[in-house]
Amino acid sequence: MFGEYDDHQQSSDLDMQTGLQSQGQDHHMDHSLEPGLTSKSEQAQCAIKILLSNKHTGSLIGKNGSTILSFQAATGSRVRVSKADESFPGTQFRVVLITGAFDAVSSCLELIIEQVHKQFADYPFGDKETGPVDTNAQRTLNLVIPSGASGLIIGRGGETVRTISSKSGSHIQLAGMDRQVPGLNERMLSLTGSLQSNLSATTFILQLLSEDPTGKYDNLSTSYRNFALPAPYPAALP
């Protein structure tokens, strides 16, 4: 079944780097919140993690990996997905790691968020769309950010997170310190909003992470086998 496609990989991640760059297939989004972008040749490598349910992970992978391969080819990014039996500590969500130049990661993240907003059949048939994208439907997306970047996202007195929320229309909530896994320098960041709201919010967050040293992950993988589990998070994705 495609939902367990990565179980047949030799590593713990679904790692299907194509090395392909987009050729007239660039997937652009509204960068109105961004303070200014450089060309791809000048961009440093950046990364972002997003948590997905098994159903949405299946739709991301696609039959025989077709969807995830097409996303990588179209954007020039690298995407890794945790195995079906490996979830982010304290949750039932699988981990998706996107790496590459800023534009590549941003474009791939947009494609994944659009995929999450689509209506899919129940797992393990998540690659069968049952309806068109409802751009106004409220969806919750769970990102994972480096703990050191928490202050960067929140800002002094909460100013930064309020600005992101007001400009994007997405409600943003950072998991409390009591939810942090011992020894793991990462925290969940939940975004709730429409498709465009979540796209705008994630773009601005990715921009902040890519420009600051605190936005770098210590664990640049999708494996968390060595970390203790706290009490489970309530499920936020269907």
Side-chain angles (χ1 to χ4, degrees):
M1 290 184 294
F2 77 87
E4 298 179 354
Y5 178 82
D6 54 342
D7 285 350
H8 302 292
Q9 305 298 317
Q10 294 181 350
S11 67
S12 62
D13 296 338
L14 173 64
D15 187 356
M16 301 185 294
Q17 183 177 16
T18 64
L20 299 177
Q21 301 297 324
S22 59
Q23 299 179 354
Q25 301 178 29
D26 289 341
H27 199 91
H28 297 293
M29 66 182 298
D30 181 8
H31 296 298
S32 59
L33 290 176
E34 299 167 19
L37 299 177
T38 59
S39 67
K40 284 188 177 182
S41 62
E42 298 173 332
Q43 292 173 20
Q45 296 294 293
C46 66
I48 190 71
K49 294 182 179 183
I50 183 171
L51 303 182
L52 298 180
S53 65
N54 266 327
K55 181 174 75 171
H56 288 119
T57 302
S59 70
L60 168 61
I61 295 172
K63 187 176 182 179
N64 297 323
S66 59
T67 303
I68 196 171
L69 283 171
S70 69
F71 284 6
Q72 291 182 116
T75 64
S77 63
R78 179 183 184 185
V79 183
R80 283 177 281 178
V81 180
S82 62
K83 296 178 66 175
D85 60 350
E86 291 189 8
S87 57
F88 187 74
T91 78
Q92 297 179 341
F93 300 141
R94 292 167 70 178
V95 184
V96 178
L97 170 64
I98 313 168
T99 57
F102 178 88
D103 282 352
V105 173
S106 179
S107 295
C108 188
L109 184 59
E110 177 188 6
L111 290 172
I112 292 174
I113 292 174
E114 289 179 343
Q115 195 82 343
V116 171
H117 273 259
K118 291 180 181 179
Q119 300 175 30
F120 288 95
D122 289 338
Y123 176 84
F125 306 106
D127 62 342
K128 306 297 184 182
E129 292 185 31
T130 60
V133 178
D134 184 352
T135 58
N136 294 319
Q138 299 289 296
R139 297 282 187 268
T140 295
L141 301 173
N142 291 313
L143 303 179
V144 174
I145 66 168
S147 298
S150 299
L152 180 69
I153 302 299
I154 298 302
R156 180 174 296 181
E159 180 179 359
T160 302
V161 72
R162 284 196 299 269
T163 298
I164 299 174
S165 292
S166 64
K167 289 187 175 181
S168 68
S170 180
H171 176 71
I172 303 172
Q173 184 173 5
L174 180 67
M177 292 295 294
D178 60 322
R179 307 302 308 174
Q180 190 165 350
V181 180
L184 178 60
N185 295 320
E186 295 179 358
R187 295 172 71 178
M188 283 180 57
L189 184 70
S190 298
L191 315 175
T192 302
S194 65
L195 174 59
Q196 188 56 52
S197 293
N198 286 338
L199 287 174
S200 297
T202 52
T203 302
F204 195 40
I205 290 167
L206 179 62
Q207 180 79 57
L208 291 174
L209 295 179
S210 68
E211 293 180 341
D212 195 279
T214 63
K216 308 303 180 185
Y217 293 92
D218 292 338
N219 176 29
L220 200 61
S221 78
T222 62
S223 178
Y224 294 86
R225 292 181 177 179
N226 298 326
F227 296 99
L229 302 180
Y233 284 93
L237 290 174

